Structures are given as structure tokens and as C-alpha cells.
Amino acid sequence: MSISLDKLRLLRRQAGDATPAPPSTPAPTVPAVEPALPPAANEARARKPAPDSVFAWVEQEIKHKPTGIAAPPAAAAVPAPALRKPDVGGLHRLLGLRERGTASARPRASAQDRHVPGEQIADGLFLIEAFLPQVIPTTPLSLAFARREGEAVQPQDLLFFDTETTGLAGGTGTRAFMIGAADWHHDVQQGTGLRIRQLLMTTMAAETAMLRTFASWLQPSTVFCSYNGRCYDAPLLKTRYRLARQREPISALDHVDLLFPTRRRYRGTWENCRLATIERQLLQIVREDDLPGSEAPAAWLNYLRGGSALNLRRVAEHNHQDVVTLAQLMLRLVAEEQRERETLALQAPDGA
């Protein structure tokens, strides 16, 4: 049971307790000045109650009793488990992010090779040109192999084209970062042959200039020739023209897609009818150190992020061979169709 100081004083008054003064005693023979005591001794003396007063002793105990409940002794501190340092590099690789840092602190070795082939004709836009001397067909090419009976096209009007894009899914988020085109052309200095022109953009902002330059290559008599371009390349370019708010010049031109007649003629002959398979099996063309088309988006994006241009040059070589193969495949399909018709004509009975 605890008693407050006020109640204790009240009890003392009711009991008539008066602490008597200590009896007078003869003064001892001591020096006039007491020796100085340490502060701790003075404090202990001040706290020492009078021996003849119970109330004084209780009062002293109440005054110096600590208030509240004493806190339990602190438990022994248990060291917290050490946290594992996060693997930031692994997280960046998982998210497909590149680590950022100053060039002076951590130079990128892959950024040493930034050479892009061709000539820069606009900000971020390069033109790559090549010329393969060969004989140009002198007569119109029949389109009977494409089930277009009675139709023919002038060789100089054909434009073999192929694109390299940022993905294969299509849609507004996919863009063509390279357009390759080939046509039979007569050059004053080099003579007749196949002219190859490729547009490569090294920045996103160069797309407008690339589309405008490609449109300048087209004439009202131009006939597109591609391999699955009717279903993929042409719709993609149409979308990019509309998004760039430019006049779309592709829909007004004729288009011969070599994929479908090739499938009809050679389906089941080889394992598939991919262009690489057709050129290897039919045209006897073997590519060396060729970069697959599926790796083209990664090569271009890596260059935009400051990486090497090595694979980007391989993409340009792949695209170059694609348009050259289209010209050879066109001539081969025309020749095969003509040979079959002549064979049937010889086998048919007279008068048939």
C-alpha cells in the first residue's frame, strides 16, 4: 500500500507529532570550520532521517521513492540478420535494361565500332548503294506464273523490295528501320545491271526522311515485287506513311508477290518455302556468315543504345542478298512457266 506525502503530513498533525529539537550538549572541542565533505556524503547526510521520528523516516522514503513501475532489465540485444546485397546487375538483365554510368568511369567496349555503311543523306539516314553488272531482259516478263494470264511487265518497271523491321508482330508499334530496293538499271559509267539501294535510319527521328526518300524512287509505272510483302511489308509501310502524315504511295501501284507462286510450284519438294531455303535449293545460293532476319531487331536496338555496329552491317548484307535473290527468283519462275507451257504445247496432239 502506498501513502502520499500529504496524507503522511496529515497523520503527523493528527497524532500531534512534533520532532523535538535535539538536547543541548556542550560544544565539542573541534575546529571552528568543519572539513569539507564530498558531495555524495552531503547528499547521504541530507537524506538520513531522524532516529526518533517514524514519520520523518517514512517521509524521507516517500520523497526519494521512484515513481512508476520500474522497467524490466533490458534483454540482451540480438544482432539483426545481415541483409543480402541485391544483385542489381541481374535485375537489369532480367528487365532488359542497360546499366547507366559515366563514360569515364566505365567505358563500353562494344561502342568502339560505330561505323555505319553508306552515305548520310539526312540526319540519322544513310543510303547504301551497290551495282551488279548483268544483262537486262529485253522482252516483257510474263506474269502467267502468278496466275495473271495475258499480263506482262517491263523489266525496268520492277522494283524488288524488302524491309527490316523492329519486330515481326506488326501493328503501329513496329517500324521499318531499313528498306532495301533493287531494279534493273542502265548506268552511263557501269552499263546495264541490277542497282541496289538501301535506306538505313540510325535514329527514330529519321523515319520521315526515309519514307520521303523511298517515295521518290517510285513511278506511276512501278510494279512492286516481294516475298510475302503483300501481307507484311506493304501494309507496314502504309501504316508508317499514315502515322508520318505523308501521302501513301503504295496502294496505287501493282504488286507481284513471289511467295504464293513459289509455294504452289515447290510445296512438298523441300522442308519449307522460306526464301533462304528456295535460294539454296533452287538458285544454288549459299550465304556465308549470314545474320538471321529474326536477329535484325536486336541488332538495330543494340546500336541505338550505344552498342557496336557490327551486327547492323550484317543486317545490311542480309537485306542486300534478299533483294538480289528476288530478282533471280523472278527470272527463274518466268523461265519455269515458259518451259512448262512449251512442253505441253509439244505434247499436245495436232489441232488441239
Side-chain angles (χ1 to χ4, degrees):
M1 183 178 79
S2 61
I3 302 177
S4 65
L5 186 59
D6 295 337
K7 289 185 178 181
L8 179 61
R9 290 174 179 173
L10 179 61
L11 290 175
R12 291 180 63 178
R13 286 195 298 269
Q14 291 176 357
D17 176 66
T19 305
S24 59
T25 56
T29 306
V30 292
V33 180
E34 292 185 12
L37 298 176
N42 292 333
E43 185 178 355
R45 176 185 293 180
R47 275 201 247 171
K48 186 176 181 181
D52 54 351
S53 175
V54 177
F55 291 100
W57 176 79
V58 175
E59 183 178 354
Q60 290 293 332
E61 287 294 321
I62 292 176
K63 283 184 178 180
H64 298 282
K65 184 177 181 180
T67 59
I69 301 176
V78 179
L83 298 178
R84 188 178 65 176
K85 186 178 180 180
D87 184 9
V88 180
L91 181 59
H92 282 183
R93 290 190 297 271
L94 180 63
L95 297 178
L97 302 176
R98 65 183 180 95
E99 297 183 3
R100 300 181 181 272
T102 59
S104 59
R106 183 173 49 195
R108 184 182 295 106
S110 60
Q112 297 176 0
D113 184 3
R114 301 282 293 172
H115 172 67
V116 177
E119 176 188 1
Q120 184 170 356
I121 59 176
D123 291 340
L125 181 64
F126 288 79
L127 172 63
I128 309 170
E129 293 184 292
F131 191 85
L132 299 180
Q134 58 184 247
V135 179
I136 299 178
T138 57
T139 58
L141 302 177
S142 173
L143 299 182
F145 69 92
R147 294 184 177 179
R148 295 171 59 171
E149 299 292 340
E151 297 184 33
V153 59
Q154 293 293 335
Q156 292 84 349
D157 292 337
L158 286 169
L159 185 70
F160 307 95
F161 84 104
D162 183 57
T163 63
E164 304 298 334
T165 65
T166 58
L168 301 177
T172 57
T174 304
R175 66 182 68 203
F177 65 87
M178 176 179 288
I179 303 177
D183 60 340
W184 281 301
H185 177 71
H186 177 76
D187 185 79
V188 177
Q189 298 179 351
Q190 304 181 72
T192 60
L194 190 67
R195 177 178 58 178
I196 301 98
R197 292 175 290 180
Q198 298 169 276
L199 294 172
L200 168 63
M201 64 180 195
T202 58
T203 62
M204 295 288 188
E207 183 181 32
T208 301
M210 182 182 68
L211 295 175
R212 187 180 297 112
T213 303
F214 181 68
S216 67
W217 297 350
L218 308 179
Q219 303 296 330
S221 60
T222 298
V223 178
F224 287 119
C225 187
S226 66
Y227 203 80
N228 197 34
R230 183 182 291 274
C231 298
Y232 181 75
D233 301 86
L236 176 65
L237 290 178
K238 292 178 184 179
T239 301
R240 302 316 304 179
Y241 273 106
R242 295 189 184 103
L243 292 177
R245 297 185 177 181
Q246 297 186 29
R247 185 183 66 86
E248 183 268 296
I250 298 177
S251 299
L253 302 179
D254 195 5
H255 194 151
V256 180
D257 197 325
L258 302 183
L259 171 63
F260 305 105
T262 302
R263 280 180 175 174
R264 287 193 297 267
R265 180 175 293 275
Y266 300 107
R267 177 178 294 168
T269 304
W270 301 297
E271 63 273 17
N272 55 56
C273 289
R274 295 175 53 196
L275 185 60
T277 303
I278 295 300
E279 68 180 11
R280 183 177 64 253
Q281 301 290 348
L282 181 64
L283 305 176
Q284 305 300 312
I285 298 175
V286 179
R287 302 194 186 195
E288 297 181 0
D289 192 30
D290 181 63
L291 184 73
S294 59
E295 298 183 17
W300 187 67
L301 293 176
N302 178 67
Y303 178 82
L304 291 189
R305 293 168 180 167
S308 171
L310 174 61
N311 282 341
L312 192 59
R313 294 195 298 269
R314 296 176 64 194
V315 172
E317 296 173 0
H318 175 91
N319 181 264
H320 173 100
Q321 185 58 53
D322 280 348
V323 294
V324 171
T325 298
L326 289 178
Q328 297 184 20
L329 180 59
M330 176 75 176
L331 295 178
R332 184 61 178 264
L333 292 176
V334 171
E336 289 289 334
E337 182 69 21
Q338 182 65 26
R339 183 183 59 81
E340 286 188 359
R341 289 178 178 269
E342 292 176 356
T343 301
L344 290 177
L346 292 176
Q347 294 176 353
D350 294 340

